[in-house]
Amino acid sequence: DVASGSCALTADGKILAFTLYGFLYKINPENNAIETSQRLETDSVGQVDCLYRIDDRRLLGTTFITQRFFEINLSSGTGMDMGRAAGGGGEVLAVMPLCGKLYMASYTEGSLTEYDPALPARFPENPRTVVMPPSTAMRPVGYCTDGESLYYTCNHKNGYLGSMTIKYTPKKGESLFLDDPLPYHAIQTMAYDKETKTILAGTTYEADCKSAPVKDDNAYMVKIDPVTLK
């Protein structure tokens, strides 16, 4: 939970580390002992990425760049930090309901975690990681469901064009990955069409954050086979 830019050495060679969640540590590198552990007060207000209504009383939210989530009791107006939503750094950018569970896809690794709102929150047990895609996946953008499986797409890492399409079927516990299904294009939106039993998707020719030169000047609407992702 400590970024490389949040560490410093003291004059006597101790390590000062400030975590993403407001804790300050002083560590002795000679014996790895923690000599100081202190929570610092803050008045920072964070950005909310996702909001999802669990039921009549509960609202779930995810926050920018903390990889945590929270719940609000709509009856009492009180909120609670529920802890981590996923491992690593980043943030949850998609919340998808299926079969009584909530699935959260997160930046920066495109992972998917399963959260059961009926059970206590306690990462890594609940939420628990159910999908960890190959390393080219980064930012979740588009998603849909056919009632049995979840489908979502992740932009490639910064500096690269393209995207990865991911399928997860909870009852089987199985995942399917298709990297770069449309060369030089990244799928951004997805919708399941019940009549044709296909996924309708829209693309962009830009890399994530426009971090790579484009090789096309057209965006496309495409159909995707849910079985093969092609």
Side-chain angles (χ1 to χ4, degrees):
D1 295 335
V2 179
S4 58
S6 299
C7 295
L9 285 175
T10 64
D12 59 351
K14 305 295 175 66
I15 300 172
L16 284 180
F18 185 68
T19 76
L20 185 62
Y21 309 119
F23 290 90
L24 177 68
Y25 295 95
K26 184 168 72 171
I27 302 168
N28 186 333
E30 293 183 356
N31 56 17
N32 296 324
I34 297 176
E35 298 181 352
T36 301
S37 173
Q38 184 178 4
R39 182 175 182 175
L40 304 181
E41 296 299 324
T42 178
D43 58 1
S44 174
V45 177
Q47 171 183 314
V48 174
D49 287 314
C50 300
L51 281 175
Y52 181 82
R53 189 160 186 165
I54 298 173
D55 54 32
D56 290 341
R57 296 182 301 105
R58 296 166 66 189
L59 185 71
L60 178 146
T62 68
T63 52
F64 176 72
I65 278 313
T66 64
Q67 209 62 289
R68 297 175 84 87
F69 71 115
F70 63 90
E71 286 194 19
I72 296 174
N73 185 307
L74 298 173
S75 299
S76 65
T78 57
M80 179 177 292
D81 177 11
M82 306 301 283
R84 274 191 168 271
E91 59 199 305
V92 170
L93 293 176
V95 178
M96 301 168 274
L98 185 62
C99 301
K101 308 288 180 60
L102 296 179
Y103 294 87
M104 297 184 280
S106 68
Y107 166 88
T108 60
E109 296 178 313
S111 67
L112 188 72
T113 52
E114 178 189 83
Y115 175 54
D116 187 343
L119 299 176
R122 187 175 53 242
F123 182 84
E125 290 89 6
N126 188 42
R128 69 183 185 95
T129 302
V130 293
V131 176
M132 181 57 71
S135 60
T136 52
M138 184 182 70
R139 185 190 305 277
V141 281
Y143 56 91
C144 68
T145 179
D146 60 6
E148 294 184 1
S149 299
L150 296 167
Y151 307 87
Y152 67 104
T153 181
C154 293
N155 288 346
H156 279 166
K157 294 187 182 301
N158 287 335
Y160 297 91
L161 297 168
S163 64
M164 180 182 295
T165 306
I166 300 164
K167 174 183 179 179
Y168 176 65
T169 306
K171 289 183 178 180
K172 296 180 179 179
E174 294 178 352
S175 303
L176 178 65
F177 310 101
L178 182 61
D179 196 22
D180 210 18
L182 297 165
Y184 312 132
H185 282 257
I187 295 173
Q188 300 292 285
T189 57
M190 306 178 85
Y192 183 74
D193 182 32
K194 293 182 179 179
E195 290 187 7
T196 61
K197 296 183 179 180
T198 59
I199 297 171
L200 304 178
T203 77
T204 178
Y205 48 83
E206 297 280 7
D208 194 88
C209 295
K210 299 183 178 181
S211 58
V214 301
K215 295 190 177 182
D216 198 351
D217 58 1
N218 292 299
Y220 299 109
M221 290 292 297
V222 297
K223 280 187 177 183
I224 298 172
D225 181 349
V227 177
T228 64
L229 301 183
K230 295 181 180 178

